[in-house]
């Protein structure tokens, strides 16, 4: 609102201190808004909790029993010793679900990260330069977009053989299209804006304009899309496991656990499914909620005018 | 309009070429020699060569590529390795089952999601709106596989309301096998659909023309159902049409779990038995289908949106 | 005297923002007499639009809320009636037209359909009768061929026609009160004149009262009987138009009247609101006439002001339509052969309406857009022939200041970084510390504190941001600057400050300006020579006084006659 900006920008021109006044960047501003929102704060701590959990598991500091096989106690229902029971090999389901966090976060970060990197790169150069380069970028992403993502992922996995690396790469190489489309649109919008034209008039080259000027102004969208991609990648891993194209056998993964429930459920073994679903639910929900709050807080349209 | 249609149709060709290129690179070049894998350790050289030929990966690369283009042009993708049937006949026999599952599923979930989103947009800012937002996000946080497993187990197995598995060739007797998968799909797609349509509606509600409509004394109800809905329909139609071909894949899990003999299950079977020709064919065909539906969506867009200048 | 149709008493409106509650309107009271036009005038943030939306019951809630007051319409308090009753008033007895004719109409319905809506709703007409009435209304608001145009979509009409449709929609039910919120601000001055005339005609015909909201005192003088002046949510002065224009009482009104450049006078510097009033609102005694000064013309001599920039047949054609094989069949001739000379240390004003090519020309001169033909010769060098490295060197000498100070600074960069960026690019100032010192000096030169270097653009007001843009342009020590509508987005009081600053800088650094604007009064004030552009071509060029006193081309004459005189109509009749 215009009304708000007038009263909040009453600036004291007579300030005689020697030190420069501290400015509040839009990022700092967004962070301070986020801190005021309970949903944002809670979901942030949830995500942080998962990160901590994954780190400790990856370093083998907690839930070290996840791969201890004990056939005597196979398919045990939840007890005080095993909160989520045991699986077919008598391994502790809770420990496996906890270690599944490592797999899921890896898939989420690398899958979405690769997609973000490719999508941003192509989107930026296509949108910024336009013309033939843009035609090529549009052709590329339209092509990849017409091939249904899941089949493309399947084909990749098929070609590369199932492994955690394959899952990340397959998801990354297919999911960039959405990013690319959005980032390209933003670059088209920004490249003609006065602040970029002004930089050009001052002699700033293409690289400077693309990375120093426009990129920071679209970065919030990259961030929002990254978190959407993150969630998407985690969910894709489950489907890939179902199709037998998931991680290497033996690696703890929520996808494998959910998938195993196909047979287990009808034998009354529900705890594997429950553990994986609960672990995944809170992570994905926290990321989704945080993302939705982030979107509100970062929207620069609410500022300025 | 005709000129626009022609121009738009011609634009499909570079993309078609792109599809051919990507699928070719994926299956013929990067794929290594699937024939050797599929034929097994003790296969004879002749056996492997035969499989290579059936895959179209026998000759030099450029010949292979032309073979691939020919397959695309004639829709003749050869035979499946596991069933030995021609892929074309497999598609024809599977398409009916897929359609009879996906049409009701799609229509019901669409109507439900759009009505709910309209209601939420109408009540924006209220508790109901906030609650719907959170519930939708929660629904989106559960894997679709879990919905299917839980649905089958609780509704199908424990309560015994509907059969878990099975099929009937008669269209009428088929309904009992379709209820549960339909129900499950509607629930699992509801969250993301409602959020999407809500955003579309809310985008419109803050436009200047809404303020004009209010200044005329129109009731909120009229503004929502006449002015906002008509504008929102433009992006919605595009999304709905372009998503149609993906429905084949949306039913992938459902068909496989409920034993419905459609295209989705055909793909799952092919993946699980490393049936290369089928996967390659389905990837290519779906891509072409998506392309065609994108064309339809663009032409529709030009019809529903008076602002699109058709040259 | 006469009856009152609307009486606003003690109206207060709050907006809730993340930074707390902002009181947009602080208890204002005013009356609208029957059959009269009341002008509500104020700068951005004065609360004028919010007040009018409150009358219509259209304050967006949340975040806005009417916290107190009464709005008596025909004796009934509109703040107390039910929603259903309010809807019967809206569009029927009180109607409204808005600023943006582009977005205010629903793009997917025909204009006829949208006009019919209120007829069907409020007058109970059936569809056929309503359409017949809609055609009559379109005819009344001067849409040619109304029986065909009734089935047109908004995008098929020009901006002026769309505003006519909005007016037809507003008068459909013959309302007693019409609220017009900046109805001509988005329009060209020649279209503005037509719309204002139309509104005056319709008012006479239907005996409506009008509440006319605008920032433009010139327009107010033309059409209002009474004026209400708002400033930061308060009414500072109200009275009849003649009285306000001749004997303003409040220092803010005095400043506002004085700081507006006009075609009649030609001062050396513009008076500013700060000449009449302190920031705290205390009056500084000053005489309006005395601040205006005498007619002032700068001399031009061949020795001191040689021609530094020559445009020779500059062209920029954009492809509009292509055949299937990429052959261009239609071109937009945005700039179509412009030949101009600009003198060193002087200002060339480039004036024209939207779409005339003036902005494209400005950017072509700096090669922000590549010209498709012609030569741009600066100080003996043909700029169009320079290679990228030579061009980069040239950018040190030629700079540009844009229109929208909100869009022309990178929102993620501190203003210090923005001012120092050109120094980094061109390797000016040896060290970081040296650059910070230079940037600080520039900040102070444009009237800001050097302590603010670490702040971000969103922490400044529009006028301050434009000062920062000027400082950034000065960072490379240029000798030529293009000002592209550089004061158009600013309030008049801020506009005066920036124009004075530009003049001071020109004097101090011997700068040469091309000043691009649609506002003839501003161009006349700042320029030594003026070129009028129309359809991509310069149709007339003369010195600043000559072009206004003795226009030659028909288009220039039309443009000049369309400008509101800024003198109340009752005074003109005397």
């Amino acid at each position: 609102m215009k009304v708000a900006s007038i009263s909040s920008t009453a600036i004291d021109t007579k300030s005689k201190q020697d030190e420069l006044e501290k400015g509040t960047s839009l990022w700092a501003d967004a962070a301070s808004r986020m801190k005021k929102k309970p949903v944002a704060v809670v979901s942030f701590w949830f995500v942080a909790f998962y990160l901590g959990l994954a780190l400790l598991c990856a370093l083998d500091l907690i839930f070290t029993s996840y791969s201890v096989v004990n056939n005597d106690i196979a398919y045990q229902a939840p007890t005080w010793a095993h909160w989520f029971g045991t699986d077919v090999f008598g391994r502790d389901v809770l420990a496996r679900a906890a270690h599944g966090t490592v797999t899921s976060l890896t898939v989420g970060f690398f899958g979405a990260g690769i997609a973000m990197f490719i999508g941003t790169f192509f989107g930026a150069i296509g949108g910024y330069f336009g013309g033939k380069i843009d035609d090529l970028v549009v052709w590329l992403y339209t092509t990849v977009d017409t091939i249904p993502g899941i089949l493309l992922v399947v084909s990749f996995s098929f070609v590369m053989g199932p492994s955690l690396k394959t899952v990340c790469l397959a998801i990354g190489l297919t999911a960039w299209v959405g990013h690319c489309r959005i980032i390209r649109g933003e670059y088209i919008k920004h490249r003609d804006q006065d602040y970029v034209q002004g930089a050009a008039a001052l002699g700033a080259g293409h690289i400077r304009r693309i990375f120093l000027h426009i990129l920071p102004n679209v970065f919030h969208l990259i961030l929002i899309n990254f978190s959407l991609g993150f969630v998407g990648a985690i969910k894709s891993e489950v489907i890939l496991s179902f199709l037998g194209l998931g991680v290497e056998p033996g690696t703890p993964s929520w996808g494998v656990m959910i998938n195993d429930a196909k047979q287990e459920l009808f034998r009354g073994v529900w705890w594997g499914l429950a553990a994986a679903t609960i672990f995944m639910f809170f992570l994905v929900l926290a990321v989704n909620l945080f993302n939705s709050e982030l979107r509100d807080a970062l929207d620069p349209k609410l500022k300025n005018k | 309009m005709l000129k626009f249609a022609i121009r738009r149709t011609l634009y499909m060709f570079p993309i078609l070429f792109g599809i051919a290129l990507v699928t070719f690179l994926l299956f013929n070049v990067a794929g290594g020699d699937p024939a050797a894998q599929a034929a097994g350790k003790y296969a004879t050289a002749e056996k492997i060569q035969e499989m290579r030929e059936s895959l179209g990966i026998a000759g030099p690369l450029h010949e292979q590529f032309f073979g691939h283009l020919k397959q695309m042009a004639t829709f003749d993708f050869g035979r499946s390795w596991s069933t030995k049937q021609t892929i074309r006949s497999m598609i024809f026999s599977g398409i009916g089952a897929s359609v009879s599952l996906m049409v009701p599923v799609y229509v019901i979930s669409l109507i439900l999601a759009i009505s709910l989103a309209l209601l939420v947009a109408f009540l924006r800012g209220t508790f109901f709106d906030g609650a719907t937002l959170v519930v939708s996000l929660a629904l989106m946080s559960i894997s679709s596989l879990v919905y299917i497993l839980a649905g089958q187990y609780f509704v199908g197995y424990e309560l015994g309301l509907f059969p878990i598995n099975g099929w009937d060739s008669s269209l009428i007797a088929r309904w009992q096998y379709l209820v549960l998968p339909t129900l499950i799909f509607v629930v699992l797609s509801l969250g993301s659909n409602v959020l999407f349509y809500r955003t579309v509606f809310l985008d419109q509600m803050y436009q200047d023309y809404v303020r004009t409509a209010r200044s005329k004394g129109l009731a909120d109800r009229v503004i929502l159902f006449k002015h906002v809905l008509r504008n929102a329909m433009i992006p919605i139609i595009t999304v709905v049409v372009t998503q149609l071909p993906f429905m084949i894949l949306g039913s992938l899990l459902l068909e496989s779990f409920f034993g419905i003999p459609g295209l989705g299950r055909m793909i799952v079977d092919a993946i699980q038995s490393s049936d290369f020709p089928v996967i390659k064919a389905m990837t290519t065909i779906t891509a072409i289908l998506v392309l065609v539906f994108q064309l339809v969506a663009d032409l529709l867009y030009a019809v529903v949106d008076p602002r699109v200048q058709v040259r | 005297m006469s009856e009152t149709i609307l009486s606003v008493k003690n109206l207060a409106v709050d907006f809730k923002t993340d930074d707390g509650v902002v009181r947009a309107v602080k208890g204002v009271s005013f009356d609208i007499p029957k059959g009269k036009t009341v002008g509500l005038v104020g700068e951005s943030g004065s609360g004028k639009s919010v007040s009018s939306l409150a009358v219509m019951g259209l304050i967006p809630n949340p975040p806005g809320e009417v916290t107190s007051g009464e709005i008596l319409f025909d004796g009934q308090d509109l703040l107390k009636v039910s929603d259903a009753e309010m809807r019967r008033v809206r569009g029927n007895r009180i109607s409204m037209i808005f600023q943006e004719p582009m977005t205010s109409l629903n793009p997917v319905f025909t204009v006829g359909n949208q006009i019919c809506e209120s007829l069907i709703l409020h007058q109970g007409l059936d569809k056929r009768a309503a359409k017949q009435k809609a055609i009559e209304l379109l005819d009344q608001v001067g849409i040619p061929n109304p029986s065909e145009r009734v089935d047109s979509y908004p995008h098929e009409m020009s901006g002026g026609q769309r505003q006519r449709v909005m007016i037809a929609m507003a008068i459909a039910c013959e309302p007693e009160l019409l609220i017009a919120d900046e109805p001509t601000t988005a329009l060209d001055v020649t279209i503005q004149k037509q719309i204002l005339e139309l509104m005056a005609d319709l008012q006479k015909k239907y005996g409506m009262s009008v509440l006319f909201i605008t920032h433009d005192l010139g327009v107010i003088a033309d059409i209002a009987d009474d004026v209400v002046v708002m400033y930061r949510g308060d009414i500072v002065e109200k009275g009849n138009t003649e009285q306000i224009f001749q004997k303003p009482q409040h220092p803010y009104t005095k400043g506002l009247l004085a700081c507006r450049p006009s075609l009649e006078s030609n001062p050396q510097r513009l008076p500013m609101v700060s000449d009449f009033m302190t920031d705290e609102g205390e009056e500084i005694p000053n005489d309006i006439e005395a601040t205006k000064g005498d007619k002032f013309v700068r001399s031009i001599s061949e020795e001191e002001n040689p021609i530094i920039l020559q445009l020779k047949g500059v062209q920029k054609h954009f492809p509009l339509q292509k055949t299937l094989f990429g052959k261009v069949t239609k071109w937009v001739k945005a700039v179509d052969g412009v030949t101009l000379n600009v003198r060193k240390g002087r200002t060339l004003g480039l004036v024209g309406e939207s779409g005339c090519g003036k902005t494209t020309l400005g950017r072509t001169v700096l090669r922000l857009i590549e010209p498709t033909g012609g030569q741009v010769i600066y100080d003996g060098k043909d700029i169009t022939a320079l290679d990228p490295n030579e061009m980069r060197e040239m950018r040190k000498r030629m700079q540009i200041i844009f229109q929208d100070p909100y869009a022309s600074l990178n929102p993620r960069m501190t203003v210090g970084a923005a001012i120092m960026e050109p120094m980094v690019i061109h390797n000016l100032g040896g060290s970081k510390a040296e650059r910070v010192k230079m940037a600080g000096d520039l900040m102070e030169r444009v009237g800001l504190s050097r302590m603010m270097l670490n702040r971000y653009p969103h922490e400044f007001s529009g006028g301050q941001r434009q000062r920062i843009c000027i400082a950034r342009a000065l960072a490379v020590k240029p000798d030529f600057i293009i000002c592209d509508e550089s004061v158009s987005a600013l309030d008049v009081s801020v506009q005066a400050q920036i124009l004075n600053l530009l003049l001071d800088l020109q004097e101090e650094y011997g700068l040469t300006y091309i000043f691009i604007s649609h506002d003839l009064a501003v161009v006349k004030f700042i320029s030594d020579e003026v070129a009028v552009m129309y359809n991509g071509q310069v149709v007339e060029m003369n010195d600043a006084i000559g072009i206004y006193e003795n226009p030659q081309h028909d288009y220039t004459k039309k443009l000049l006659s369309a400008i509101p005189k800024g003198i109340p109509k009752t005074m003109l009749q005397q």
Side-chain angles (χ1 to χ4, degrees), chain C residues 232-438:
Chain C
R232 294 187 184 169
D234 275 320
I235 289 178
V236 294
E237 190 162 1
K238 54 189 168 186
N240 84 42
T241 309
E242 195 180 327
Q243 185 192 329
I244 297 253
F245 272 75
Q246 274 191 320
K247 289 198 187 78
Q249 298 302 310
H250 194 274
Y252 176 70
T253 319
K254 289 180 189 170
L256 210 56
L257 281 167
C259 72
R260 204 168 47 92
S262 89
L263 291 180
E264 278 67 43
S265 64
N266 207 44
Q268 189 168 0
R269 285 174 65 85
L270 283 171
M272 296 187 273
V273 171
S274 56
D275 293 334
F276 298 89
M277 189 175 79
T278 63
D279 277 354
E280 289 74 35
E282 282 164 47
E283 178 159 10
I284 303 169
N286 213 334
D287 182 27
I288 294 190
E289 290 310 315
T291 58
K292 279 187 179 163
D294 294 325
K295 280 201 174 179
F296 173 77
V297 185
R298 284 196 294 198
S299 64
I300 293 178
S301 72
E302 278 302 328
E303 285 125 57
E304 283 190 26
N305 313 106
I307 290 170
I308 189 152
L309 175 72
Q310 278 181 293
L311 309 189
K312 288 184 180 171
V314 173
Q315 274 185 354
K316 178 66 197 181
H317 294 182
F318 294 101
L320 181 69
Q321 207 174 14
K322 288 180 183 174
T323 64
L324 278 179
F325 308 101
K327 192 166 176 264
V328 181
T329 52
K330 247 189 200 166
W331 295 91
V332 177
K333 297 177 178 173
V335 177
D336 197 16
V338 169
T339 301
L340 278 179
N341 293 331
V342 184
R343 288 182 177 275
K344 188 174 173 15
R346 290 291 175 260
T347 304
L348 172 77
L350 202 55
V351 69
E353 294 184 294
S354 55
C356 73
K358 55 188 192 301
T359 291
T360 311
L361 179 64
R363 294 188 183 201
T364 312
V365 170
L366 294 184
R367 274 181 71 189
L368 292 174
I369 300 174
E370 294 291 333
T372 46
Q375 283 180 309
V376 178
I377 298 166
Y378 185 79
D379 206 8
K381 272 185 207 145
D382 183 1
I383 289 177
T384 55
L386 298 181
D387 69 30
N389 281 331
E390 291 169 325
M391 193 61 219
R392 184 167 301 190
E393 275 306 298
M394 199 47 121
R395 297 215 179 280
K396 273 199 277 189
R397 302 187 61 188
M398 308 174 80
Q399 275 306 310
I400 185 164
I401 301 162
F402 296 101
Q403 169 174 7
D404 186 357
Y406 292 90
S408 49
L409 287 169
N410 187 339
R412 311 267 170 192
M413 239 185 204
T414 63
V415 300
I419 296 173
M420 284 184 278
E421 189 187 21
M423 303 178 193
V424 175
I425 294 170
H426 295 289
N427 238 334
L428 304 172
S431 62
K432 174 105 198 274
E434 177 70 12
R435 285 181 190 138
V436 171
K437 192 189 165 293
M438 284 163 69

Side-chain angles (χ1 to χ4, degrees), chain C residues 446-492:
Chain C
V446 298
L448 296 169
S449 158
R450 67 190 319 137
M451 298 303 152
M452 299 176 179
L453 280 178
N454 273 352
R455 293 196 179 194
Y456 287 84
H458 67 94
E459 298 171 285
F460 292 90
S461 70
Q464 288 174 322
R465 287 187 221 196
Q466 204 58 302
R467 287 172 192 270
I468 294 162
C469 290
I470 294 172
R472 181 178 60 177
L474 290 176
V476 290
K477 303 196 172 77
D479 36 41
F480 170 74
I481 296 179
I482 292 180
C483 304
D484 185 2
E485 298 270 13
S486 300
V487 295
S488 307
L490 305 174
D491 282 324
V492 265

